[in-house]
Amino acid sequence: MGRDLNRRTFLAASAAAGAGGALAASATPASAAPARTSAATGTPGAPAVAVPDLPVREAARHDPTEATLAEAVVLIRTGRLTSADLVQAYLDRIEKYDKTYQAYAEVTRKQALLAAYAADRANRGEDRKRAPLAGVPLCVKDNYFTKGVPTRANSFIFEDFVPVTDATAVARLKAAGGILLGKGQMGPLATTRATTPGGLVTTVNAWTPDNPLIDPGGSSTGPACAVAGRMASSSIGTQTGGSIVNPANRQNLTGLKPTMGRVSLNGVIPLSYTRDHCGPIARDAMDAAVMLTVMAGPDAEDPRTQGLPRLPDLVRAATPVVSPKGKVRLRRPTRIGVPPGFTDGIARSEALLDTLADLPGVTLVEVRYPADWSLLTGSAFNAARLSERTEPFRHWLRQDLTKFGVSVLGWLQGLMISGDEWITAQRAKHHLLRAVLDGPFDHCDVLLQTSPVPFDILGLPEIGFPIGFTAGVPTGAILGGAPYEEDRLLEVVAAYQAVTDWHERRPVDPALEPVKRVVRPLLDAVEAAASSA
């Protein structure tokens, strides 16, 4: 009954979001009319965040930048680490290595240290249990409003913009004790991998810092690189076309894109009203669960967050179930769908399936896509997103095309899509949604995917997680879920991570001496349009 109710709620919310996009209800870009931050900085309707007293690995005890977010919380809570020491350790790494990584667009050194000292005073006081993130430093993608800190979205349009409020998601992380360490570099206006607005590649994959040609993921590559390169405990990104799960897959992290509406988009510079999502890019399933629980919940400033089912206990879902004999099992019996071509399209996929099949409670089932799958998920209907990105930026398109830099073609393409084409695409989207819910999800509880499509088109939840390495570069998988069932995804990934150690591996630090000059590629407008989210 719960899944049926979730489905009906999601179908109604999805239709409403499409109507909202048609009515241009999305937030106006920042420099025209700054969004307000909701006064509700808690997480209404969600369970209280209680990070468990999990064991801290030896590596994390010796070097706090090795710690997961949850481990850092435990170390701070038990008095074995101060927030100030943790923040300073990350700042030291940023000073040493970010010239190579180029993960940060802005580092808030002074503010972060002051916040850490305040967190340490609070952690020693009677109110210490009220701050679940306990003074842990975070990286925030540079399209989230941050009060008093530049929010440029890596663009010429917002190059001088300093918000007077925080985005709702940022406000909630701060209210939970999180500390802003800096703003993560991103693709120009969230369209491509991170480059300068003119197209020169900036952020690299933390695992291949000397080779900028290796793609670090989508537009959220700065926040991902900051976590992978041990320059932040965790981070938040945005996803319109894979930019949470793809950077996670390519940099050995766990990225959770929730169901549309789980996290408010208030105070996030828009790309697509019906496809934008906020979510965590973290080191493992537990960290992603903690971050999402803090961020999620209704917000009066974003109608997409209203009237949704209660957020499940994600921290419980991310806690592996282990028998007295040490055997890991799934929290609930779970059918994992394996689509056509999965073992051909994903490196190390057969090893992943073998590991999952050995977990008690898992049943692998073959699923089939409908006959019109390629048409529904292809570029023709997917192009409808371009008109949604164009609508709030018409002012600048009329005023000065050079402000769009290397991504200008995508914005111009959006102008060429007619109203009837957009409506046809929305109808196709809802046909695709029903094809997914009535097709694969009739036979499985979660679904392995070969790409973020169609789950980011439809607004369904998905999680990217590491499954190994190919030629020294991380390989990941993507698991998709039914509406509002983020807990199902976390249960599977937490169990998988309890019997593997891929997520615990960290890249070797880049060489400092002698400094090697790395030639960074330059994307032109055509290449940017081809890789655009």
Side-chain angles (χ1 to χ4, degrees), residues 49 256 280 282 284-294 311 314-318 490:
V49 187
L256 177 55
D284 61 13
M286 177 59 73
D287 286 5
V290 171
M291 291 283 286
L292 182 55
T293 302
V294 171
L311 186 74
L314 301 183
V315 172
R316 180 176 182 269
L490 287 164

Side-chain angles (χ1 to χ4, degrees), residues 392-518:
F393 288 88
R394 285 181 180 273
H395 167 74
W396 289 279
L397 285 167
R398 293 190 184 104
Q399 185 184 67
D400 186 358
L401 286 178
T402 64
K403 286 187 174 293
F404 291 86
V406 71
S407 62
V408 66
L409 286 183
W411 304 92
L412 291 176
Q413 287 169 344
L415 288 174
M416 307 303 158
I417 296 175
S418 64
D420 62 323
E421 287 177 304
W422 188 88
I423 292 171
T424 300
Q426 293 304 311
R427 291 173 61 193
K429 171 185 172 180
H430 289 287
H431 179 69
L432 174 61
L433 177 57
R434 290 185 177 276
V436 170
L437 297 181
D438 293 338
F441 278 116
D442 270 351
H443 307 285
C444 65
D445 301 301
V446 295
L447 176 65
L448 286 164
Q449 303 162 243
T450 55
S451 79
V453 176
F455 283 69
D456 51 13
I457 294 177
L458 300 175
L460 296 171
E462 60 184 357
I463 189 168
F465 60 100
I467 63 171
F469 294 82
T470 302
V473 179
T475 294
I478 302 173
L479 195 65
Y484 313 114
E485 293 188 9
E486 294 86 0
D487 54 336
R488 280 276 194 185
L489 301 177
L490 287 164
E491 287 172 13
V492 174
V493 175
Y496 176 79
Q497 291 182 342
V499 297
T500 61
D501 69 351
W502 304 118
H503 60 290
E504 296 179 358
R505 304 192 187 190
R506 312 283 187 252
V508 175
D509 294 336
L512 294 178
E513 298 291 346
V515 176
K516 181 178 179 181
R517 179 174 176 79
V518 177

